[in-house]
Amino acid sequence: MAEYADREHYIPVRVTDLIDYLASDAGPAGGQPLTPDDQTRFRRFARAVTLHIHALYHAELRQLEDSYASFDPDGDPKPLKKLDPGASAAAQKELFGTFTHLMGRANYTHLSRPELEVVMAGASDWGIDMDIPWGAFDQVEVFVRGKGMSKRFKRNWRNRFRLEEVRVPTFNRVAVIFKQRPHKRLGKEADTDSVFLKLFKDIPQMDIEMLLPGGRVKMPWFERVKLGGSLSSTVGYVGWKLSAANLGGLAAALFAGSTAALLALYAPVALVLGYGYKTWYSFQVSKQTYSLQLTQSLYYQNLDNNAGVMYRLLDEAEEQECRETLLSYFYLWRYAADRGWTAAELDDYVELDLERRLNMEVDFEIADALAKLERAGIVSKTGDRYRAVPLEAAQATLDQMWQQYPSRGIPASGGA
């Protein structure tokens, strides 16, 4: 069973398209298509699988809604009873734990604080390095999925400031969950009672800090050097002018209110203040320009907020579980025959087939899918080899499970 450090578990294909792809399977050589009857039976089985998984996730969605209700800044209506501090802390811990578990099932990677600081070091050509006030968060977690390259356009002085295309490494998806605490960076009106959820797409890897509130723009080293150099040179010039003058006579003239003495000092002092203000103002303009670009960019890169993030991610986790379940059963049923396959053999076959025919390089997560199929009774295990039960028997098992859902408190919206 191959393991890949550069591949993710996420399978980038819609469940509906995957069912069509499997039903039209014609074998490795292309000459063994499923019969029309087998296609019909497999499609019915696949529909039953998706309905069962949806029913289970619907129950989980209700639990998540209840956990988030007390922390939802957009909740309407609000809960009738407000949690006391002790209960709120326990509920917050449970919410963050549940969300982290959900992100794992949706095949997101959790970035720890040290990992975040490494990723956030510096800035891309479209960002400005920012200082994040970690003390402003009671708790904050960041999750990413998918590494890719996105197109950006910039003007380069080497190319006479014409627009040129540049490829920048990005995270395809970034999810953030955080709860704030009182902090001067957030202002007096900051909401410190709610838990905020944010979901973004195509974020440059080095600019992930721009998604967190309270960040303060760092002055680039070039601007620091320019400001420091300007001040040092002008202060040196003032010192030289003063050393060249008769300090005793100049002091006496200043004390007497001499206009000439004041004019003698005006030029170097104005030079110091002018250079300093010009550099500071230039940096402020850069900050404002970046803030505008950031607002315009995130307008299109923001996918969802707060409760909407939960619904979207739960749907992604549901789809991923459907993909893994259908792929595992299908290849066992279609190719493993009576001898069966080990988990490693099934894992390798699925990965190779997806890569060969769909050009998808994934690290198939086989263990969880096989465990679910075995518990459901539609895959059997002897020793280390797995076999799919016949399609008719698997369908009957799913139909029987469906009838048991109402007694287990799981809503069933329709038959399989």
Side-chain angles (χ1 to χ4, degrees), residues 127-411:
I128 289 181
D129 201 10
M130 302 184 74
D131 172 56
I132 300 300
W134 296 106
F137 301 103
D138 189 38
Q139 191 170 356
V140 58
E141 306 294 347
V142 178
F143 305 85
V144 299
R145 189 184 70 196
K147 294 181 179 179
M149 301 293 291
S150 295
K151 296 179 182 178
R152 295 289 193 277
F153 295 90
K154 62 176 293 187
R155 297 186 186 276
N156 194 326
W157 64 271
R158 296 185 183 88
N159 194 27
R160 298 182 181 180
F161 293 100
R162 296 174 182 172
L163 280 176
E164 61 180 34
E165 181 181 310
V166 180
R167 306 285 286 179
V168 57
T170 58
F171 290 119
N172 297 339
R173 293 290 186 271
V174 179
V176 183
I177 178 173
F178 61 89
K179 185 175 184 295
Q180 302 174 140
R181 62 167 56 137
H183 195 278
K184 62 181 181 180
R185 289 274 194 94
L186 302 176
K188 296 180 180 179
E189 303 300 323
D191 185 350
T192 57
D193 295 324
S194 303
V195 172
F196 295 89
L197 307 175
K198 303 288 182 181
L199 183 63
F200 301 90
K201 68 173 183 177
D202 300 332
I203 299 297
Q205 294 179 19
M206 294 178 68
D207 297 337
I208 199 170
E209 68 263 40
M210 69 186 184
L211 308 180
L212 299 175
R216 182 171 61 192
V217 178
K218 295 180 180 178
M219 181 177 284
W221 69 269
F222 178 74
E223 297 288 344
R224 292 173 183 264
V225 170
K226 185 168 69 173
L227 178 59
S230 298
L231 290 177
S232 299
S233 60
T234 50
V235 168
Y237 174 72
V238 171
W240 173 77
K241 290 287 290 183
L242 292 177
S243 65
N246 183 348
L247 295 181
L250 184 60
L254 286 173
F255 183 76
S258 170
T259 303
L262 290 173
L263 289 176
L265 285 179
Y266 173 79
V269 171
L271 192 62
V272 173
L273 296 177
Y275 270 107
Y277 177 76
K278 181 181 178 182
T279 305
W280 175 85
Y281 181 76
S282 174
F283 176 63
Q284 295 303 314
V285 170
S286 298
K287 284 174 59 177
Q288 293 176 2
T289 302
Y290 170 72
S291 297
L292 177 61
Q293 292 174 344
L294 176 60
T295 300
Q296 293 174 337
S297 176
L298 292 186
Y299 180 85
Y300 296 101
Q301 292 172 274
N302 180 241
L303 293 177
D304 228 323
N305 300 291
N306 301 327
V309 174
M310 281 200 312
Y311 301 141
R312 181 186 286 268
L313 293 176
L314 203 61
D315 182 67
E316 289 185 10
E318 178 184 327
E319 287 253 322
Q320 181 68 8
E321 189 158 331
C322 287
R323 298 179 194 114
E324 293 171 353
T325 302
L326 290 173
L327 284 168
S328 299
Y329 178 85
F330 179 84
Y331 285 104
L332 283 176
W333 168 65
R334 186 89 159 95
Y335 298 113
D338 293 336
R339 182 171 178 269
W341 275 346
T342 64
E345 289 171 335
L346 175 60
D347 182 79
D348 290 341
Y349 193 97
V350 172
E351 290 173 351
L352 289 172
D353 195 60
L354 291 177
E355 182 176 355
R356 178 173 59 89
R357 294 202 281 170
L358 294 180
N359 197 30
M360 293 180 183
E361 295 185 349
V362 301
D363 184 8
F364 190 60
E365 197 171 20
I366 191 65
D368 189 50
L370 285 175
K372 287 184 174 67
L373 289 169
E374 188 179 3
R375 286 196 301 269
I378 54 180
V379 162
S380 62
K381 182 181 180 183
T382 304
D384 63 344
R385 309 192 79 80
Y386 294 87
R387 299 171 182 81
V389 304
L391 200 55
E392 296 85 351
Q395 184 69 59
T397 298
L398 291 177
D399 291 344
Q400 185 179 8
M401 290 172 58
W402 189 266
Q403 302 304 321
Q404 300 172 356
Y405 279 169
S407 63
R408 295 165 54 189
I410 300 176

Side-chain angles (χ1 to χ4, degrees), residues 10-31:
Y10 179 66
I11 304 169
V13 58
R14 297 173 63 247
V15 170
T16 302
D17 294 337
L18 180 63
I19 294 172
D20 291 338
Y21 164 74
L22 295 176
S24 61
D25 175 64

